[in-house]
Amino acid sequence: EIEAKYAEKMQVLRDELDLRRKTEIHEVEERKNSHISELVRNHEKAFSDMKSYYNDITFKNLALISLLKEQMEEMKKRENHLEKEKADVLLQNKQLKEPLQQAQEQLFEMQKKLAHYDKDKEALTNTKARLKVTQKELKDLQWEHEVLEQRFSKVQAERDELYQKFTKAIKEVQQKTGFKNLLLERKLKGLLGVLEQKEVELGEVLAASKLDPGALSFASHKLEDVLNSKNSTIRDMQLQLARVCKAYNDMLQTFKAKLTAFGIPLDNLGFTPLDSPVLGQ
């Protein structure tokens, strides 16, 4: 039973392998036939292309040969025509030889006569050439003059505009600085007046109250502290005033430098530097 079973399996495996072999052989034959057909088509196309190429070359060569034959015939005709013209020209040269000699002699005489004329003509030509060069230089100079005039007008307009802007800016800064200085001076005067009034009131209070030395010392220290605070405020305000004056003076120096660079006289400025306050005064 086992032998029969495996014999049956062996037969089935042989049948499968035989079928697979036949299938693969059939596929190989189909690919071979397809490849053979493609090679035949390619060879036929290459042969057709080669045939067309050599046919075109043959046709072009025949056309070229025909064209060269026509050109050869035309060149022979031209050669015959030129030979005839050459014979005619030689005959004319022979006939014109004597008049040519006479004309050459006359030309020699006329060249002697025209020697001075050639010199004068050459001098005139040189003069005309120099005149053209001079005219070109004159045109160039005129063009440069026009360009410089336009640039001068433009720079002058920019200078006037810049001067107006500088003047306007300086006036605005002067107004702002003057207004700020006035406020600081008024504030400083008010603080000084308040300080004087407080000192007078303190003296009257001390005189009326007849305080003991300890209370008087305490009040004096407190008054000194208040005075030191006020003096510190005054110094800060004076420092602010000095900074404003310095900024104004620096800006004025910058404007003066710009006006000098643009050629504007400083007399037309109309502004003077501010004196910076000294701390403690």
Side-chain angles (χ1 to χ4, degrees):
E1 291 176 357
I2 291 172
E3 286 178 356
K5 182 178 179 181
Y6 279 96
E8 184 181 358
K9 287 184 178 181
M10 184 67 70
Q11 186 65 35
V12 171
L13 183 60
R14 284 177 180 174
D15 294 339
E16 289 180 355
L17 291 175
D18 189 33
L19 179 61
R20 183 181 298 176
R21 179 179 59 81
K22 290 180 180 180
T23 304
E24 290 178 354
I25 290 172
H26 181 68
E27 290 178 353
V28 170
E29 288 180 352
E30 287 183 352
R31 287 197 297 272
K32 181 185 67 174
N33 293 330
S34 175
H35 184 62
I36 290 171
S37 300
E38 185 177 358
L39 287 175
V40 170
R41 286 195 301 271
N42 291 334
H43 290 168
E44 289 178 354
K45 184 177 182 300
F47 180 74
S48 177
D49 293 340
M50 188 180 298
K51 186 177 179 180
S52 299
Y53 174 72
Y54 283 107
N55 287 334
D56 292 338
I57 290 176
T58 304
F59 178 75
K60 290 180 180 177
N61 288 334
L62 291 174
L64 181 61
I65 290 170
S66 300
L67 180 62
L68 290 175
K69 285 182 179 179
E70 292 177 357
Q71 290 180 356
M72 183 68 71
E73 291 178 358
E74 185 178 355
M75 289 180 68
K76 286 182 179 179
K77 292 180 181 179
R78 289 185 61 189
E79 185 178 1
N80 295 328
H81 182 68
L82 289 173
E83 287 291 336
K84 292 180 180 180
E85 288 184 353
K86 180 181 178 181
D88 295 337
V89 170
L90 289 174
L91 181 61
Q92 290 178 2
N93 287 338
K94 188 176 181 181
Q95 293 175 356
L96 295 174
K97 188 174 182 180
E98 293 180 0
L100 178 61
Q101 290 179 354
Q102 295 177 1
Q104 286 178 350
E105 292 176 358
Q106 292 178 0
L107 179 63
F108 182 72
E109 294 295 332
M110 293 180 68
Q111 284 178 350
K112 288 182 178 179
K113 293 180 180 179
L114 292 176
H116 298 291
Y117 173 76
D118 291 336
K119 292 181 181 180
D120 295 339
K121 187 177 180 180
E122 184 179 0
L124 179 62
T125 304
N126 294 331
T127 305
K128 287 182 178 179
R130 289 195 298 271
L131 179 61
K132 288 182 180 179
V133 173
T134 306
Q135 288 177 349
K136 185 177 182 302
E137 292 178 353
L138 178 61
K139 289 181 180 179
D140 294 339
L141 291 174
Q142 288 177 350
W143 181 78
E144 291 179 359
H145 178 69
E146 292 178 0
V147 171
L148 290 175
E149 283 186 349
Q150 292 177 0
R151 290 178 61 187
F152 175 75
S153 301
K154 184 178 180 181
V155 171
Q156 194 173 13
E158 291 178 355
R159 184 201 65 182
D160 296 338
E161 182 180 0
L162 185 61
Y163 176 72
Q164 294 176 359
K165 289 181 180 179
F166 284 168
T167 305
K168 183 178 179 181
I170 290 174
K171 288 182 179 179
E172 291 178 356
V173 171
Q174 189 180 26
Q175 291 176 358
K176 292 179 181 179
T177 307
F179 181 71
K180 193 169 183 179
N181 291 339
L182 182 62
L183 291 178
L184 291 174
E185 289 178 359
R186 289 183 179 178
K187 192 172 182 180
L188 183 61
K189 288 180 180 179
L191 291 175
L192 290 175
V194 172
L195 179 62
E196 291 178 357
Q197 185 178 359
K198 294 297 183 181
E199 288 180 352
V200 173
E201 291 178 356
L202 180 62
E204 292 178 355
V205 169
L206 292 175
S209 60
K210 296 180 181 180
L211 295 175
D212 57 346
L216 185 59
S217 175
F218 176 76
S220 298
H221 285 301
K222 193 167 184 179
L223 180 60
E224 287 180 359
D225 293 339
V226 174
L227 290 175
N228 290 330
S229 176
K230 297 299 182 181
N231 289 330
S232 177
T233 303
I234 291 171
R235 284 193 296 272
D236 292 339
M237 294 177 68
Q238 288 177 342
L239 182 60
Q240 293 180 5
L241 182 60
R243 288 176 180 173
V244 171
C245 292
K246 186 178 184 304
Y248 173 81
N249 293 333
D250 292 342
M251 186 181 64
L252 190 61
Q253 292 296 326
T254 302
F255 286 165
K256 285 182 177 180
K258 292 292 184 181
L259 292 176
T260 303
F262 281 96
I264 300 175
L266 298 178
D267 298 337
N268 299 330
L269 190 61
F271 300 102
T272 56
L274 295 176
D275 294 332
S276 299
V278 181
L279 295 179
Q281 293 185 358

